[in-house]
Amino acid sequence: MVTFGVLGPLTAGSARLGGPRQRAVLARLLVARRRVVPVRTLVADLWEDPPDGALGTVQTFVGALRKALEPDRPPRTPSSLLVTEGTGYALLAEDVDAWRFEEVLGGDLSVLDGALALWRGPAYAEFADEHWARAEIDRLEELRLVAVERRAEAALALGRAAEVVADLRAHLADHPWREKAWSLLALALYREGRQGDALEAVRAARNALVEDLGVDPGPELRALESDILAQSPRLTPAPESSLVGRSVELAALDTAVPAAGLGIALVTGEAGIGKTALAEAFTAVLGAKGWRTVWARCPEDAPVAWPWQQVVEALREELTTTDRFHLRRAVVAAVESAAPVLVVLDDLHQADEETLAVLAAFTTARLSGRVLIVATSRTAVPLEALARAEPVRVALAGLDEEAVAALVGAADARAIHERSGGNPFYVKELARLLAAEGSLGVPAGVRDVLRHRLARLPAEARTVLHQASVLGRDVDVDLLAALAGHDVLDALDLAIEAGFVVEVAPGHARFTHALVRDTLYEDVSLTRRARWHAAVAEALPPGDVQTLAHHHALAGTRSAAAVRALAEAAAQTRSPREAVRLWRAAIAAGSERLDLMTGLVRALAVSGDLEAARERRSAALRLAGGPHEVAEVIGSFDVPGIWTTNDDPAHSAELVRAAEHALAAFPGPTATRARLLATIAMEDRGTGARLAQAREAEAVANDLGDPELRAFALNARFMHTFHRTGLAPERAAIGRELLEVATGRLVTHEVLGHLILVQACSALADFDTADRHAAAADAVARRHDLPLVSVFTDWYAALKLAASGQVAEADRAYRAAAERVKGTGMWGMERGLLPLALLSLHGPSTVDLNDDWGPHLQWVRPLALPHDEALAAARALPPGPADLLAEVRACLLAMAAERLQDDELRERARGLLLPARDELVAGTGLFTFGPVSDYLGR
């Protein structure tokens, strides 16, 4: 079934559509929505002044569309999609993105998100000026605006007001007269606590409507303004009745419900952990069972026993006594008279002594009715009577990753859980920040809350915490004391009590959340940070190179010790991106020394920044002062290569010249000479002319027993196994030998071995083995942060789809894989591969010479030029480079020979392909042109 796209540029699955008028025929039929469009109507819609032969032209367009939309339809069988009805045509489409969009406009938030994601641009974007499309374009645009506003309503219902504000501001910037949108924006602002901004939104709506359209706001907007001014409860959504991830805790509270008399539960946990939310959910549970519930909060600096006065007032009683003894008895009596009753005392850690004394009075009273007191507190409550009453204790920890996913969605759950520790307040704030800014920094709301809590600590304790933040999330107490210059245990005790850090072992503490550490760290000035990092580097014991380098880099230290530590850490790390950062810091700490430059070059290449690697390598080569330094620069770069087309011929020529010049200084069979020879073979790739240098380098490496050198030399030999077709078995043997040498020792060459075997096994039609090696390459790449590997395995996945006949899926996969190549610096792969892949998929009849064929254009031209021009172009084709595309070019020549019915071309193609007669044309590992035997048979 063909999927048609009209919400943006016109598409029809993987079909390659023709020129503007042919596309207009398809669009016109889609606008008709399966109804018949007479041919005369099509002619009138396509031309203001129809030319002679317009009818025949329309018929030609329809024939071409039928072929593109149903490429597998047998010849001379009627079309079941674009059908002829009487004197017109109908497109019996079943899957059109606009129709799917209309069907789901009444869905929930996720459904509406999916519906709006269907829009790739304006509907029928290419036909906005056509009279026959205008009404449909306007109708679909109106439905899109409705969908945006319905989505905002759905998001508001889920409490996502901040997200709604951002979306609606953008929406109203283009559509300022959408009264419904103004109402939603004002409501979202009010729910964000921005009452003034909400009223300003109402005023802006009135101005837009009155001044520009001359109409007054409708009743909905006027009523909303009145409600905002009155702070009407109608504007606040009802609290959620369900609680994510707290079923065990709710069950624990349920065990505190007394069969008779008094029950007490104490809910503890850090700020934002969900104590109040748990108590709210529990009140709903007991309320459904007929219990009366009253709430009281223990604010700071409140009058004596203020929470209990709130409780008594909520029960519509009155306290007339002032002496403490009778006050306590009166409160107990008032609560008991309302039984069964649940009393929630929120934030008990802020309670005054008299409030705690009243609570203690409940523990000694004989109650005739059922009373349950649930208290929430950040810390333990210092009340002996409460301890003797043996309350049910519920200590809240962070939500698990599954519960976090239920709050924010599965896509970002792991990162948000790791950063927030599962604290629900932090989780929600991080999700908002990620949605608004695409980052997982410290949300402003979290920062404000943490700063408020930190302000309660003594100044000395705050300073110690700021110093601890420089050490990272995990804190060595002795190192912290060395940085502070005094004992820090008292300050840490206060920080532990306040919930900012926890002890994980004697002498080791940890910030409770990364967000706590980051807030403290960001509040330290840059200059003070640098000095503290430098002091830590001075105090660190020898041995932990990575930590030492981390502090030197952040201190910006310029010294020989800093360079040493940074370079050693860069050489040891397994993360190429981290290595790039450390090598750059080492250069900044010292100078552009050759060893530092070459280290950076290799890290840049492995991390995927090939263009920067080439630039730095040329710079290092210019710094080299003689043959030994030239050999050092050249020999240090043993980054594997899998693609035989040179990314930067000028750079490679520069390296080859330098290496050949340096060779004279190394006549013997040394490792240096072998590296120079292997480099020459690697850089002069795709020529078949440097096999001798590669073999000499390999022989020296074998004699020396040097696995790294041997792997590099094997890679060089691989680059010269394309001088004729049919050499996939030889390349497979190189891949196996590379794995034998590199597995577990040389990560990048281990990946290379797997990728070579993906290519070779594809050519040998052994896809089971190719699959295993593709999966292994991906696994190694994930473990070691090698981003370019998936570029090749993505292409291979598309090849597999094509080989199994899944044409539409393969088309999409090829296009996605081609996008991934862009910007990698692999210029040899960027141009021409996607058109070749699509040609392999759809056949030579779809060739468009206006596509970007890159260096492959001359081999494709004979498939599309007029006969005589095509024949001349085909006969003039050169042999072509000895590279991974040799079999592909031979197949293109065979296609041209078949099209042109030329015996000379047939013999030439046959001679090229015969050595590969038992293979598939799939040795690139990127796409397949099918069995070689098919071409030989034709």
Side-chain angles (χ1 to χ4, degrees):
M1 182 171 64
V2 180
T3 298
F4 295 91
V6 299
L7 301 180
L10 180 65
T11 61
S14 59
R16 295 169 67 93
L17 302 176
R21 283 202 168 90
Q22 182 175 313
R23 298 170 68 85
V25 169
L26 179 60
R28 180 64 184 86
L29 293 172
L30 284 165
V31 166
R33 300 175 73 89
R34 297 172 63 93
R35 294 188 298 273
V36 175
V37 181
V39 175
R40 63 178 181 278
T41 301
L42 286 173
V43 169
D45 286 343
L46 259 62
W47 291 278
E48 285 186 19
D49 184 13
D52 293 336
L55 181 62
T57 302
V58 168
Q59 292 169 339
T60 300
F61 289 159
V62 169
L65 284 171
R66 284 171 170 163
K67 183 176 181 181
L69 297 176
E70 299 177 281
D72 300 325
R73 180 168 52 88
R76 293 179 297 282
T77 58
S79 172
S80 59
L81 181 58
L82 205 174
V83 300
T84 302
E85 292 283 348
T87 60
Y89 302 103
L91 183 67
L92 303 183
E94 295 181 16
D95 188 354
V96 181
D97 56 3
W99 303 353
R100 278 187 280 132
F101 170 73
E102 294 177 57
E103 289 170 359
V104 297
L105 285 181
D108 61 14
L109 181 61
S110 62
V111 172
L112 289 167
D113 278 336
L116 287 167
L118 294 171
W119 286 75
R120 299 166 287 112
Y124 291 95
E126 304 160 64
F127 311 103
D129 296 328
E130 302 293 343
H131 67 89
W132 49 265
R134 190 68 259 163
E136 181 68 359
I137 290 171
D138 291 344
R139 188 182 70 84
L140 289 171
E141 177 61 12
E142 176 60 24
L143 290 177
R144 187 187 70 81
L145 299 180
V146 169
V148 170
E149 290 159 12
R150 287 184 180 175
R151 186 204 176 280
E153 282 187 290
L156 266 178
L158 295 176
R160 291 160 62 170
E163 172 189 327
V164 169
V165 169
D167 290 346
L168 287 177
R169 286 203 187 281
H171 177 64
L172 284 163
D174 293 329
H175 309 282
W177 302 296
R178 304 284 299 186
E179 190 170 343
K180 177 69 172 180
W182 282 113
S183 296
L184 290 168
L185 175 61
L187 180 58
L189 287 165
Y190 182 87
R191 289 185 180 175
E192 276 288 279
R194 298 163 61 181
Q195 183 177 349
D197 290 340
L199 290 170
E200 180 58 36
V202 175
R203 283 192 287 272
R206 180 179 289 108
N207 291 339
L209 294 168
V210 174
E211 294 180 12
D212 296 338
L213 299 181
V215 297
D216 290 322
E220 181 182 355
L221 196 59
R222 294 198 302 272
L224 177 62
E225 184 177 29
S226 299
D227 285 344
I228 292 172
L229 288 168
Q231 297 185 343
S232 170
R234 289 195 299 273
L235 301 182
T236 305
E240 295 180 15
S241 59
S242 60
L243 196 64
V244 172
R246 297 298 192 197
S247 56
V248 172
E249 291 84 354
L250 277 173
L253 285 181
D254 198 51
T255 66
V257 178
L262 178 68
I264 300 178
L266 183 60
V267 180
T268 56
E270 64 176 339
I273 201 67
K275 301 181 295 295
T276 302
L278 179 67
E280 286 175 345
F282 188 60
T283 61
V285 172
L286 285 194
K289 296 178 180 180
W291 282 61
R292 187 172 184 178
T293 62
V294 289
W295 277 76
R297 187 172 177 274
C298 305
E300 295 179 283
D301 303 322
V304 172
W306 173 250
W308 292 112
Q309 293 185 50
Q310 291 178 281
V311 168
V312 171
E313 289 175 5
L315 295 173
R316 303 190 184 281
E317 300 285 345
E318 188 174 342
L319 291 176
T320 56
T321 182
T322 56
D323 72 278
R324 292 182 176 179
F325 176 78
H326 290 97
L327 173 70
R328 295 168 193 173
R329 292 190 65 180
V331 170
V332 172
V335 171
E336 184 180 21
S337 67
V341 62
L342 165 64
V343 177
V344 179
L345 298 176
D346 208 12
D347 291 338
L348 195 63
H349 55 278
Q350 297 179 155
D352 63 283
E353 289 185 8
E354 188 57 27
T355 297
L356 295 177
V358 175
L359 177 58
F362 276 90
T363 67
T364 58
R366 289 184 176 274
L367 303 177
S368 59
R370 300 166 73 193
V371 175
L372 175 60
I373 299 174
V374 173
T376 72
S377 176
R378 293 182 190 168
T379 59
V381 180
L383 185 61
E384 183 181 353
L386 182 63
R388 285 200 305 269
E390 298 182 352
V392 171
R393 297 181 183 273
V394 180
L396 288 186
L399 299 172
D400 60 23
E401 189 176 326
E402 184 179 352
V404 170
L407 281 178
V408 302
D412 306 305
R414 176 166 295 181
I416 290 177
H417 178 264
E418 182 178 344
R419 187 143 174 74
S420 67
N423 180 300
F425 170 65
Y426 296 167
V427 166
K428 292 173 183 175
E429 291 295 307
L430 279 170
R432 289 192 185 103
L433 182 66
L434 189 62
E437 301 179 13
S439 77
L440 284 174
V442 182
V446 174
R447 186 183 292 111
D448 291 344
V449 169
L450 289 173
R451 284 174 176 164
H452 178 72
R453 290 175 56 205
L454 285 163
R456 299 176 182 176
L457 292 177
E460 182 181 336
R462 291 200 303 274
T463 299
V464 168
L465 281 176
H466 282 119
Q467 290 169 323
S469 73
V470 171
L471 300 180
R473 187 172 177 189
D474 293 293
V475 179
D476 183 306
V477 176
D478 291 338
L479 190 58
L480 177 60
L483 174 60
H486 56 77
D487 185 80
V488 295
L489 294 182
D490 290 343
L492 281 178
D493 284 344
L494 290 172
I496 291 169
E497 185 179 348
F500 293 114
V501 296
V502 293
E503 278 192 295
V504 293
H508 295 276
R510 194 168 200 258
F511 283 102
T512 50
H513 300 289
L515 293 172
V516 175
R517 182 264 169 187
D518 290 355
T519 297
L520 286 158
Y521 187 75
E522 290 170 10
D523 283 347
V524 180
S525 68
L526 294 175
T527 302
R528 192 179 298 277
R529 267 191 230 169
R531 290 184 180 178
W532 282 350
H533 280 297
V536 173
E538 287 293 323
L540 276 170
D544 190 348
V545 175
Q546 295 293 334
T547 303
L548 185 61
H550 168 78
H551 288 288
H552 274 310
L554 292 174
T557 312
R558 292 184 61 83
S559 68
V563 172
R564 247 189 334 271
L566 288 161
E568 190 174 345
Q572 288 180 3
T573 184
R574 293 189 172 188
S575 168
R577 291 185 176 91
E578 178 66 5
V580 169
R581 186 183 72 83
L582 290 168
W583 284 119
R584 282 180 167 150
I587 292 169
S591 62
E592 290 195 335
R593 288 177 4 199
L594 275 182
D595 59 329
L596 305 181
M597 292 278 283
T598 53
L600 175 59
V601 166
R602 191 176 194 285
L604 284 166
V606 176
S607 70
D609 194 348
L610 298 177
E611 186 174 358
R614 288 191 289 266
E615 290 174 0
R616 284 286 191 162
R617 197 177 181 193
S618 289
L621 202 57
R622 289 191 294 271
L623 285 176
H628 286 273
E629 288 192 350
V630 168
E632 180 186 347
V633 172
I634 292 174
S636 66
F637 189 86
D638 58 353
V639 177
I642 183 68
W643 194 246
T644 50
T645 303
N646 202 311
D647 290 325
D648 191 339
H651 174 68
S652 293
E654 174 189 20
L655 288 166
V656 169
R657 284 194 301 271
E660 288 180 329
H661 183 72
L663 267 177
F666 304 97
T670 63
T672 301
R673 179 177 178 82
R675 286 194 180 277
L676 290 171
L677 289 167
T679 299
I680 290 169
M682 285 289 292
E683 296 300 330
D684 201 10
R685 64 184 65 184
T687 63
R690 299 291 188 173
L691 188 57
Q693 286 88 339
R695 288 195 180 280
E696 183 182 344
E698 190 178 349
V700 172
N702 289 338
D703 290 344
L704 295 176
D706 184 335
E708 290 186 28
L709 185 56
R710 184 180 168 198
F712 189 41
L714 282 167
N715 193 175
R717 177 154 68 88
F718 164 78
M719 289 295 179
H720 294 274
T721 54
F722 300 92
H723 50 280
R724 67 168 174 83
T725 64
L727 292 176
E730 183 176 336
R731 293 193 288 275
I734 292 174
R736 289 190 292 271
E737 194 171 350
L738 267 170
L739 289 181
E740 180 185 327
V741 172
T743 299
R745 291 186 292 185
L746 308 172
V747 171
T748 54
H749 281 91
E750 180 181 349
V751 169
L752 174 67
H754 287 303
L755 292 181
I756 287 175
L757 281 161
V758 169
Q759 293 177 344
C761 292
S762 296
L764 297 171
D766 184 0
F767 287 119
D768 288 343
T769 303
D771 286 346
R772 289 198 298 274
H773 287 291
D778 279 334
V780 176
R782 283 193 298 272
R783 286 199 303 272
H784 297 280
D785 191 20
L786 304 174
L788 293 185
V789 174
S790 59
V791 172
F792 293 94
T793 54
D794 283 354
W795 274 95
Y796 171 70
L799 182 156
K800 281 294 299 299
L801 290 170
S804 62
Q806 299 178 68
V807 176
E809 294 84 351
D811 187 291
R812 288 193 292 271
Y814 279 138
R815 293 177 192 276
E819 282 297 314
R820 287 218 50 208
V821 177
K822 293 178 181 177
T824 61
M826 293 189 290
W827 302 331
M829 283 187 68
E830 280 195 30
R831 296 189 61 205
L833 287 190
L834 178 60
L836 281 179
L838 297 179
L839 168 57
S840 74
L841 199 60
H842 300 298
S845 63
T846 62
V847 167
D848 184 344
L849 296 180
N850 293 316
D851 287 344
D852 183 9
W853 294 93
H856 317 301
L857 178 61
Q858 59 182 325
W859 278 275
V860 178
R861 291 174 71 241
L863 301 179
L865 290 173
H867 184 278
D868 292 346
E869 292 180 49
L871 185 59
R875 288 179 172 174
L877 284 172
D883 63 12
L884 270 162
L885 291 165
E887 281 96 342
V888 172
R889 285 189 295 272
C891 284
L892 295 176
L893 185 63
M895 290 178 193
E898 185 176 0
R899 178 197 177 210
L900 301 171
Q901 295 295 300
D902 184 80
D903 290 339
E904 179 185 329
L905 295 178
R906 282 194 178 108
E907 285 307 310
R908 183 177 168 188
R910 177 179 174 79
L912 292 171
L913 288 171
L914 195 58
R917 56 187 171 276
D918 297 323
E919 296 181 11
L920 291 182
V921 188
T924 60
L926 310 183
F927 43 75
T928 175
F929 277 79
V932 172
S933 58
D934 285 359
Y935 296 89
L936 292 173
R938 291 199 294 269

